Amino acid sequence: MVFSNKKKRNQYKFYFEGSILEEDSNYKYLGIGFNKNLNWDGCRKKRILGGWKGWYALQNRCREAELRNWKASQTLLGLLVLPVILYGCELWASNTSGSQWKQSEQIQKHLITSKFKIKNTVPYEIMLSETGVAPIEAIVMVRLISYLKRIGTMEEGRWSKAVFNDTLCKRKKTWMQQNIKWLSKWNIYLNSCPTNSKEIKAFVMDKFHKWAWGNELARKKKYYITKFNSAYDHHQKAYIRAYISWKAKCIIAQLRTNSHQLHSEIGCWKRPKETWEERVCIFCTSGKVETEKHFILECDVFKDVRDKYNKLLTEGSWYDLFSEDFVERLGPLVSILHRKRADLQKSVRSYVLSHRLC
Ligand SMILES: [Zn+2]
């Protein structure tokens, strides 16, 4: 195998005992696929493909075992699927573009959307901030920084240290230069990084969230931030670890990420698209837009259900409802509200249908 970034065929011939040696364009060494252009595309694709295989196998086993626990699924993904994707990441990570990172993040995204039954159009940063999960790119960055720090503290004379200190490694367009470029995307400089692996993780996650929130705010979804995450908090939200039913957790996640079926959301799916003022609640006569707040706190039709939880609703303002103090009481309330709304919707639908037939 001859490494070259030129497209034309290699003109050199190599002989062994009189015969020409065959030249190969791909080679697997210690489980990592090299190609003659050294661009890591093939290697990365194989990692992602292997990750998907592992993920589907895990999903089937979880379904068979009826495992719904979020923490267990997340841990299993980290133990069984992520090592497949991340194998040899110290080598290929810096060569990965933004769109290639998105491809590998799809598996993590799939875990969150399928578990909580939320829309896959919800921005990834919001999914991460709800569940408190670290993005794959950040996990890789932590591994790379730990690796570089480990080499830095190694005694002289070790092979990795010799390669690391070689002038070839420090030239432009080399592995080390690409690493520095990749780290600087999130404003990380190797000299200012901590050396302890736990501290590196916290440091990288903090940088990632600052970068992600900055981008997210500049782009869209101010709605989510002003309504549900005004503190820009990126830790796992209280409802996910609360002692409430799995169904209630899913409903709360859907309400918080705009993945629900309330009129304020489904109005924009209709053609022609309904204006905001047209998306009024069809169950009561208030003429108000059916938003999450109207559904949980205001709609008259659900007054009887809400009266049971009077203390919760008078004590807690809209923003406090999802906080640690209220979420265990909010869980059963949203489950009942959701069930009652579904029943009402069914009867409205059958009423409309019967009148159309007449
Ligand atoms: Zn209403």
Side-chain angles (χ1 to χ4, degrees):
M1 195 166 169
V2 180
F3 292 112
S4 157
N5 50 12
K6 285 175 190 154
K7 277 186 183 167
K8 63 178 181 184
R9 272 178 70 87
N10 175 33
Q11 312 141 4
Y12 305 105
K13 300 268 181 284
F14 297 92
Y15 294 88
F16 182 70
E17 291 178 352
S19 51
I20 299 174
L21 283 177
E22 201 183 321
E23 194 195 323
D24 211 345
S25 53
N26 293 296
Y27 186 69
K28 197 171 177 180
Y29 181 67
L30 296 177
I32 295 175
F34 291 87
N35 67 11
K36 66 171 188 171
N37 301 324
L38 264 183
N39 63 10
W40 304 113
D41 280 352
C43 172
R44 209 167 14 234
K45 270 181 199 156
K46 270 191 185 161
R47 300 281 114 230
I48 296 175
L49 202 67
W52 278 112
K53 273 187 195 166
W55 160 242
Y56 284 121
L58 172 66
Q59 212 181 14
N60 288 339
R61 297 291 97 75
C62 285
R63 206 174 290 139
E64 279 166 20
E66 294 184 3
L67 183 81
R68 285 189 179 148
N69 186 311
W70 165 248
K71 202 165 179 228
S73 326
Q74 203 192 336
T75 312
L76 286 173
L77 184 94
L79 289 173
L80 301 171
V81 182
L82 290 188
V84 180
I85 306 172
L86 305 187
Y87 188 76
C89 63
E90 290 88 349
L91 281 174
W92 52 257
S94 58
N95 195 262
T96 309
S97 68
S99 59
Q100 285 162 338
W101 280 120
K102 270 186 192 162
Q103 281 173 5
S104 42
E105 303 282 358
Q106 286 297 328
I107 296 177
Q108 186 120 276
K109 214 173 160 183
H110 200 260
L111 167 80
I112 301 172
T113 51
S114 63
K115 271 274 162 196
F116 292 96
K117 296 189 175 57
I118 57 175
K119 289 191 294 193
N120 58 7
T121 48
V122 173
Y124 187 48
E125 290 80 1
I126 292 181
M127 289 186 196
L128 296 175
S129 89
E130 284 292 291
T131 52
V133 169
I136 291 176
E137 191 176 350
I139 300 172
V140 174
M141 205 173 262
V142 171
R143 280 177 68 152
L144 178 78
I145 296 173
S146 313
Y147 177 67
L148 294 175
K149 290 277 173 189
R150 212 164 50 235
I151 295 180
T153 52
M154 236 175 224
E155 63 269 29
E156 294 297 326
R158 298 279 296 273
W159 176 238
S160 335
K161 182 101 175 180
V163 174
F164 193 66
N165 286 337
D166 194 83
T167 44
L168 259 178
C169 193
K170 293 191 166 107
R171 263 198 222 162
K172 266 188 183 178
K173 283 191 178 178
T174 55
W175 171 74
M176 198 52 211
Q177 289 300 325
Q178 276 177 332
N179 282 336
I180 292 169
K181 199 175 154 196
W182 179 45
L183 295 175
S184 65
K185 185 178 113 181
W186 292 358
N187 226 357
I188 294 177
Y189 301 97
L190 211 54
N191 294 339
S192 57
C193 284
T195 40
N196 177 298
S197 61
K198 260 192 181 169
E199 284 170 21
I200 295 175
K201 195 177 174 199
F203 179 79
V204 170
M205 284 308 288
D206 189 52
K207 291 280 183 188
F208 168 77
H209 283 109
K210 273 183 192 150
W211 176 80
W213 283 128
N215 268 11
E216 194 51 40
L217 262 188
R219 224 155 39 93
K220 53 179 179 174
K221 288 290 166 195
K222 275 191 178 168
Y223 175 83
Y224 166 79
I225 288 155
T226 49
K227 282 251 172 3
F228 300 114
N229 201 356
S230 47
Y232 291 56
D233 172 15
H234 54 253
H235 299 296
Q236 190 181 66
K237 301 295 170 283
Y239 69 92
I240 292 178
R241 50 177 191 274
Y243 291 104
I244 53 176
S245 70
W246 181 252
K247 180 130 202 248
K249 290 183 189 188
C250 291
I251 298 170
I252 296 176
Q254 288 159 8
L255 286 168
R256 289 173 60 95
T257 56
N258 235 354
S259 303
H260 49 71
Q261 303 270 312
L262 302 181
H263 208 151
S264 61
E265 176 57 19
I266 58 165
C268 68
W269 305 349
K270 287 193 179 168
R271 291 294 171 269
K273 197 172 167 177
E274 284 184 352
T275 60
W276 182 255
E277 292 74 26
E278 282 171 336
R279 300 175 198 175
V280 288
C281 175
I282 55 164
F283 305 112
C284 67
T285 51
S286 67
K288 283 187 176 173
V289 175
E290 193 192 17
T291 56
E292 301 86 351
K293 194 175 179 182
H294 178 79
F295 170 61
I296 300 176
L297 295 181
E298 296 167 358
C299 192
D300 280 343
V301 176
F302 306 113
K303 197 174 175 297
D304 54 331
V305 180
R306 231 175 273 127
D307 282 346
K308 278 191 193 170
Y309 295 86
N310 210 6
K311 202 164 167 252
L312 158 75
L313 297 170
T314 47
E315 271 179 18
S317 71
W318 169 240
Y319 296 105
D320 291 336
L321 270 184
F322 298 100
S323 72
E324 204 123 15
D325 302 335
F326 296 100
V327 86
E328 276 174 26
R329 285 174 280 162
L330 178 73
L333 168 69
V334 288
S335 296
I336 304 169
L337 283 175
H338 187 262
R339 205 178 312 133
K340 188 166 178 184
R341 189 183 179 278
D343 292 342
L344 278 173
Q345 203 168 22
K346 240 184 241 169
S347 49
V348 168
R349 218 172 268 160
S350 55
Y351 175 82
V352 170
L353 272 178
S354 64
H355 276 70
R356 252 190 222 165
L357 290 174
C358 293

